[in-house]
Amino acid sequence: MSTDSDLPLPNFDQTQEMMPQVPLPVDDGPVAQKTAGDLEQMFDVPVNVSAVLGRTRMAVGELMQLGPGRVLELDRKVGEAIDIFVNDRLVARGEVVLVEDKLGVTMTEIIKPER
């Protein structure tokens, strides 16, 4: 009958060489709690938000002939995620929803900027 003390222990010296060294964060003392009020000066900054359902190309003559009820073929299929832009920068993807007879957009994926 064997006990836990009879089990061989792994050699941790070898695995530490393979793991990347990550610096530990420096403790600068207590951190003040942030609130929405801290961003109050940003509340009046205008931004342009666009939800792009799809795109198409057409000649100016075709554009001038568009009228009510005309169907445009877009480069996306029904049910595909739409792109959400803030100030012409892609920030998220989402889907169109209907809320009390109005169209809306719900974000399903946040796009992280490439640096």
Side-chain angles (χ1 to χ4, degrees):
M1 179 172 184
S2 67
T3 64
D4 289 346
S5 61
D6 295 331
L7 296 175
L9 296 174
N11 185 352
F12 289 111
D13 293 334
Q14 292 175 353
T15 56
Q16 286 179 349
E17 292 173 9
M18 294 186 293
M19 295 178 63
Q21 297 297 314
V22 179
L24 296 174
V26 177
D27 184 16
D28 292 333
V31 177
Q33 192 73 357
K34 301 284 184 180
T35 65
D38 296 333
L39 298 175
E40 188 172 343
Q41 59 190 348
M42 302 295 290
F43 290 171
D44 293 329
V45 175
V47 294
N48 181 23
V49 179
S50 306
V52 179
L53 302 173
R55 299 179 191 272
T56 192
R57 292 180 76 79
M58 63 176 43
V60 174
E62 290 178 277
L63 180 65
M64 299 300 290
Q65 293 176 357
L66 290 179
R70 177 79 188 267
V71 176
L72 293 176
E73 184 176 340
L74 301 176
D75 62 351
R76 303 241 174 119
K77 294 178 174 55
V78 173
E80 272 190 63
I82 63 170
D83 293 332
I84 302 168
F85 290 85
V86 174
N87 292 340
D88 298 322
R89 183 180 208 173
L90 179 65
V91 296
R93 291 208 170 81
E95 53 190 40
V96 177
V97 294
L98 185 64
V99 180
E100 297 179 11
D101 297 331
K102 294 185 180 185
L103 287 179
V105 175
T106 182
M107 285 190 274
T108 56
E109 173 188 4
I110 302 295
I111 306 296
K112 293 185 179 184
E114 295 178 14
R115 300 217 183 242

